[in-house]
Amino acid sequence: MQLYHYCSIPTALSILSNRSIRLSSLAHSNDSMEGRWTLLRIQELLTEKRLPKADISPTIEGLEYLLSRFDALGFCLSEKRDLLSQWRSYANDGSGFSIGFSDAFVAYWRNSRTCHQVLYKKKEQDALLRPFISRFIKIAKDGAWRAPASLRAQGLGARPPANIDEEQMSHAGAEFAKTGAELLGYLFLMKNPAFEEEIEWRLLTYVGEDVSHLEFHPNDKKLVPYTVWRFNDLPTHIQPITSITLGPKNETPIKTVERMLKRFCCSGTKPWTAGN
């Protein structure tokens, strides 16, 4: 299976000339719902299960806190080589390129568990989230959001039910942290069904306290963290790029694209134009 990355002319030139890709912070993308769509689905499912609001609110707030401490760096791809909505959104309104990555490239990253398909259908999202929902409900019932005795002595926090002791509450809190950490890997793999035609896949990695491999680039309004994955780190038999398609508003002559591909050792890569 080949996958395609839509990008501007400067980004395409950077990928080819540097033989590398950038995985950029998804939290800094233009989509304000990145990662938060999954939290919204969790809130809806907990409500459907009739978990009290007093337990739902701290569950979501706790997950938002975990989300704030980590960042997902991603490189977005589509199964579609020539899709109008992708040109408009990600390739400078159609003046950029769609770069095709080979079957071998995709298979390598899928085997390394860093390449994931985005889920759009709510049934698929719910199936993945149900085990987490069950755990969050048990965590709440075990008193994770009830105040410990030290705070209750100061008149703060809700008293736990009589059948829940301090040790059980402490264990529930630890279980929430563990469950939230496991969920982190799925937060950026779900999107609103309205975007389903993208058929998106993502190369993903996560950043916590260790930022030694991070770099930053500026856009008009903010700095965006990213990390670089170099083609030279791939097994030598893998040719990463197999095609490049000019967007419907890209005015670069095909001969110029062919020379660029030859210059950067991609002479076996086929250039296409949108609509062909």
Side-chain angles (χ1 to χ4, degrees), residues 20-115:
S20 65
I21 57 176
R22 288 182 177 183
L23 280 71
S24 298
S25 169
L26 296 175
H28 288 67
S29 74
N30 293 330
D31 184 357
S32 62
M33 290 301 291
E34 279 288 2
R36 302 194 176 279
W37 173 261
T38 306
L39 296 184
L40 179 63
R41 295 295 301 126
I42 291 171
Q43 185 171 359
E44 290 173 352
L45 291 169
L46 290 174
T47 302
E48 288 176 9
K49 293 293 185 180
R50 299 177 184 268
L51 189 68
K53 187 175 181 180
D55 290 322
I56 294 177
S57 294
T59 298
I60 299 303
E61 289 169 6
L63 292 174
E64 287 177 338
Y65 173 73
L66 287 175
L67 183 61
S68 71
R69 295 194 62 187
F70 294 88
D71 198 359
L73 307 181
F75 183 76
C76 301
L77 302 135
S78 172
E79 291 186 21
K80 297 292 187 179
R81 178 180 66 85
D82 184 4
L83 187 63
L84 184 58
S85 62
Q86 295 287 87
W87 288 122
R88 286 174 171 169
S89 298
Y90 304 111
N92 198 18
D93 196 30
S95 65
F97 289 98
S98 162
I99 299 176
F101 289 87
S102 67
D103 297 347
F105 176 90
V106 174
Y108 176 81
W109 292 117
R110 290 186 71 179
N111 289 338
S112 69
R113 299 184 180 181
T114 55
C115 185

Side-chain angles (χ1 to χ4, degrees), residues 216-224:
F216 301 85
H217 70 87
N219 64 20
D220 292 338
K221 297 182 179 179
K222 58 190 172 186
L223 287 173
V224 179

Side-chain angles (χ1 to χ4, degrees), residues 125-136:
Q125 296 173 358
D126 293 355
L128 191 150
L129 290 173
R130 276 193 203 102
F132 293 100
I133 296 300
S134 298
R135 291 166 68 178
F136 286 136

Side-chain angles (χ1 to χ4, degrees), residues 120-156:
Y120 300 95
K121 297 183 185 300
K122 286 190 174 182
K123 286 185 178 180
E124 294 176 349
Q125 296 173 358
D126 293 355
L128 191 150
L129 290 173
R130 276 193 203 102
F132 293 100
I133 296 300
S134 298
R135 291 166 68 178
F136 286 136
I137 290 173
K138 184 178 187 306
I139 286 166
K141 289 181 176 179
D142 285 348
W145 311 121
R146 302 299 185 237
S150 58
L151 287 180
R152 295 201 308 276
Q154 303 173 48
L156 301 173

